[in-house]
Amino acid sequence: MDLNVLNLDPVKRLLRSYPRIVVIKAALQVLRSGRQINTENIEKAINDIMNNEKDDEEEGRD
């Protein structure tokens, strides 16, 4: 039963690889943009979030 839930729910699957707050923030961004909640869209949003945070840290060092 648990395996079926992971196959159907991309958020639960991604929680195994990424911090909870990042996955939730990415899922909310996908919803706000009107795109479908799926693994691909959430991972793209996660990458955007991670890149933005990395850029912000680098700007703070200057």
Side-chain angles (χ1 to χ4, degrees):
M1 178 75 172
D2 191 29
L3 262 159
N4 291 335
V5 172
L6 289 177
N7 287 336
L8 296 176
D9 190 352
V11 172
K12 285 189 180 189
R13 187 172 345 142
L14 291 169
L15 286 172
R16 300 169 96 194
S17 304
Y18 299 101
R20 180 179 301 272
I21 190 70
V22 175
V23 174
I24 292 169
K25 186 174 180 179
L28 290 173
Q29 284 182 356
V30 170
L31 282 173
R32 265 187 253 136
S33 69
R35 294 180 289 170
Q36 182 180 10
I37 294 288
N38 59 33
T39 303
E40 183 179 331
N41 287 339
I42 296 173
E43 281 188 312
K44 285 179 186 177
I46 289 171
N47 287 331
D48 290 343
I49 291 168
M50 300 298 259
N51 287 335
N52 286 340
E53 287 180 7
K54 191 177 196 180
D55 291 343
D56 290 345
E57 286 177 5
E58 289 176 1
E59 286 177 8
R61 291 185 211 162
D62 293 340

